Amino acid sequence: MKERGEAEDFVTPGEVLGKTSELKPGNGAYVSPQDNTVYASLAGIRSLTPPPPESADLRPTVEVKGHKAHGPVPEPGAIVLARVTKVMAKMASADIVCVGPKSVREKFTGIIRQQDVRATEIDKVEMHSSFRPGDIVKALVLSLGDARAYYLSTAKNELGVVSAESAAGETMVPISWTEMQCPSTGQIEQRKVAKVGA
Amino acid sequence: MEYVNPEGLRLDGRRPMEMRQLRAEIGVISKADGSAVFEMGNTKVIAAVYGPREVQNRSQQLNDQALVRCEYSMANFSTGDRMRKPKGDRRSTEISLVIRQTMEACILTHLMPRSQIDIFVQVLQADGGTRSACINAATLALADAGIPMRDLVTSCSSGFLNGTPLLDLNYLEDSAGGADVTVGILPKLDKVTLLQMDAKLQMDTFENVMQLAIEGCKAVASYIREILLENTKQLESRRGI
């Protein structure tokens, strides 16, 4: 009995899940514009989520959970972790290594421009006092950017450097939103520090 | 030479509307994001999918959708005569483009802008119908990689010999000089994404031959769905769900 239930809940790409008047497509489902039908786009198990009680839309959301999701692609609004690779006068280059909780299998390139480092005193931002090559940065994807890289922003309290190494090679401890200290030498270095635990 | 004897049997003992034996396996390459081996009779094809990943050649990047690239190759030992082929010979380039266009039509590329999906297909053993097997293997590999698709693309070939439409030609039938029709469809959406033919056919005969190939594609789709379901069950039992 359970096996039959499992077989019935398993869907492959192209299978009909329902009509748009009855279902909302979630992850792994899409709507065909020609006939207003919801189809599966992944191979996996179908699941229904009831609508939130306060929502005016009474349609449940249908999702398909595959056993393996493809590597994530950065999209505007996503929080990413990136490793700074190059710091210039007006921007810093970084390799995106995580999108949300998922790591990307291969790197995507992003840049943090001078005007996106912090929300205050934008004209006085010094890139070399905010990031160094090798720092791990938590950032927000602003847009798909130009032809070369995604645009990232750290202009929020919870965004910025989350891990950095000092000149002595040790992981530094944040002591304020602009400073980090080396635990062995006591040297203080300037960074745009992310606020943790917020 | 007689390809269909009076009892209605082909050279390998099949009926005219019978397919060769299908076999498939998912997840055969651990380094790839998705991979599959697909066999149609004595034709054996392996496919690997990488991506979505960053576009390697910046000039080819598409800002609103993913770039799909495909590379098709035949192993030197895959045919009866071992021959050294240059990498970019005409037939490989044509089949690579055919597979790429077929897959582009079914992958939801707009969900992964400015990324690249690479499909590598290699023929390990060739016995006719290689491009159909390649498309089926690529579909399985994409499903294994979790790439969102409109539908599973399946492909099958058919021909016309001795006044009889034949399904799923093997090498001998393919070399007989008759017509060879290759069809790729989206079986649930009932759309044709690939249609190729060589030699000549009358229009009404062509309709019959194409309809036979479409039936073969739907049979392949049922088999592929079974493989995906079996794979999901195995993974769930291993995970202890």
Side-chain angles (χ1 to χ4, degrees):
Chain A
M1 180 61 70
K2 189 193 176 189
E3 177 150 322
R4 178 178 302 175
E6 279 183 8
E8 285 171 9
D9 279 351
F10 178 79
V11 293
T12 52
E15 288 195 27
V16 175
L17 301 176
K19 288 286 182 181
T20 50
S21 52
E22 302 158 8
L23 293 171
K24 271 193 303 184
N27 190 63
Y30 73 96
V31 171
S32 175
Q34 287 93 8
D35 54 4
N36 290 325
T37 306
V38 183
Y39 294 96
S41 64
L42 294 174
I45 307 292
R46 171 211 343 228
S47 68
L48 275 184
T49 306
E54 64 276 3
S55 171
D57 195 341
L58 295 183
R59 297 177 298 166
T61 301
V62 62
E63 283 185 352
V64 180
K65 294 190 173 72
H67 67 277
K68 190 199 290 186
H70 67 73
V73 179
E75 56 189 23
I79 302 289
V80 298
L81 284 182
R83 177 187 294 271
V84 178
T85 54
K86 199 191 307 181
V87 179
M88 289 160 279
K90 287 192 178 301
M91 66 178 63
S93 190
D95 285 343
I96 295 170
V97 294
C98 280
V99 178
K102 291 186 193 172
S103 70
V104 302
R105 290 183 66 112
E106 296 193 25
K107 69 173 180 65
F108 289 88
T109 303
I111 57 173
I112 306 169
R113 295 172 299 172
Q114 189 183 30
Q115 62 259 44
D116 298 323
V117 171
R118 63 186 184 216
T120 59
E121 293 184 327
I122 295 174
D123 293 340
K124 298 176 185 172
V125 171
E126 287 273 347
M127 293 304 294
H128 298 282
S129 304
S130 305
F131 307 108
R132 287 298 168 98
D135 291 354
I136 305 296
V137 176
K138 195 180 197 182
L140 171 80
V141 180
L142 274 185
S143 72
L144 297 181
D146 53 21
R148 288 183 302 274
Y150 294 83
Y151 281 175
L152 308 178
S153 165
T154 57
K156 281 186 180 178
N157 288 347
E158 59 270 13
L159 304 175
V161 175
V162 295
S163 173
E165 285 187 358
S166 67
E170 296 216 13
T171 303
M172 291 195 286
V173 180
I175 55 177
S176 80
W177 75 278
T178 55
E179 291 168 342
M180 288 180 127
Q181 190 173 28
C182 177
S184 64
T185 64
Q187 175 81 31
I188 293 178
E189 296 190 18
Q190 303 232 294
R191 296 283 196 281
K192 202 285 175 183
V193 183
K195 185 179 182 182
V196 293
Chain B
M1 194 172 181
E2 193 180 46
Y3 294 95
V4 185
N5 65 17
E7 286 81 30
L9 296 179
R10 293 203 243 171
L11 292 169
D12 49 11
R14 286 186 284 150
R15 297 284 173 186
M17 301 188 175
E18 202 174 325
M19 289 195 73
R20 293 177 287 181
Q21 187 179 25
L22 302 178
R23 229 190 312 259
E25 194 180 343
I26 288 182
V28 293
I29 303 174
S30 60
K31 292 288 188 180
D33 293 311
S35 58
V37 167
F38 196 84
E39 297 180 38
M40 295 176 82
N42 285 333
T43 299
K44 187 168 181 175
V45 173
I46 187 166
V49 167
Y50 297 85
R53 59 183 179 183
E54 194 170 42
V55 179
Q56 288 158 350
N57 195 339
R58 298 302 193 144
S59 60
Q60 296 180 1
Q61 181 172 267
L62 304 169
N63 272 324
D64 55 342
Q65 62 188 27
L67 172 69
V68 180
R69 294 169 63 87
C70 180
E71 193 172 308
Y72 164 91
S73 64
M74 287 183 96
N76 288 343
F77 49 83
S78 63
T79 51
D81 305 315
R82 181 184 290 255
M83 56 189 71
R84 195 169 308 278
K85 291 175 181 171
K87 179 163 172 122
D89 70 302
R90 196 186 306 266
R91 183 170 173 274
S92 296
T93 303
E94 185 251 328
I95 297 183
S96 297
L97 188 59
V98 159
I99 298 175
R100 172 185 176 177
Q101 286 170 348
T102 305
M103 291 307 153
E104 245 172 9
C106 86
I107 295 174
L108 295 167
T109 49
H110 64 275
L111 295 181
M112 302 161 282
R114 291 169 38 150
S115 61
Q116 174 174 309
I117 299 169
D118 291 319
I119 305 170
F120 295 93
V121 192
Q122 183 152 37
V123 179
L124 302 176
Q125 194 171 293
D127 187 41
T130 48
R131 72 186 66 194
S132 295
C134 288
I135 289 168
N136 296 326
T139 286
L140 265 174
L142 286 167
D144 182 41
I147 307 272
M149 294 186 279
R150 287 184 176 84
D151 201 341
L152 301 166
V153 186
T154 53
S155 178
C156 195
S157 64
S158 60
F160 192 77
L161 285 172
N162 287 355
T164 309
L166 304 177
L167 179 63
D168 197 14
L169 305 178
N170 61 19
Y171 176 71
L172 285 175
E173 293 157 346
D174 204 342
S175 314
D180 180 6
V181 178
T182 301
V183 175
I185 66 166
L186 304 173
K188 292 284 185 175
L189 304 180
D190 214 11
K191 293 181 176 175
V192 174
T193 59
L194 168 66
L195 179 56
Q196 285 185 315
M197 190 190 85
D198 56 354
K200 295 178 183 176
L201 270 184
Q202 293 177 34
M203 189 56 72
D204 50 338
T205 308
F206 170 77
E207 299 285 346
N208 291 333
V209 173
M210 185 186 170
Q211 201 57 46
L212 185 59
I214 289 175
E215 295 302 317
C217 291
K218 291 180 178 174
V220 174
S222 303
Y223 178 74
I224 283 180
R225 290 204 159 81
E226 284 175 25
I227 291 292
L228 290 171
L229 173 58
E230 195 61 38
N231 185 256
T232 298
K233 282 183 180 176
Q234 281 181 22
L235 287 172
E236 281 185 356
S237 67
R238 274 186 221 145
R239 232 187 285 172
I241 294 179

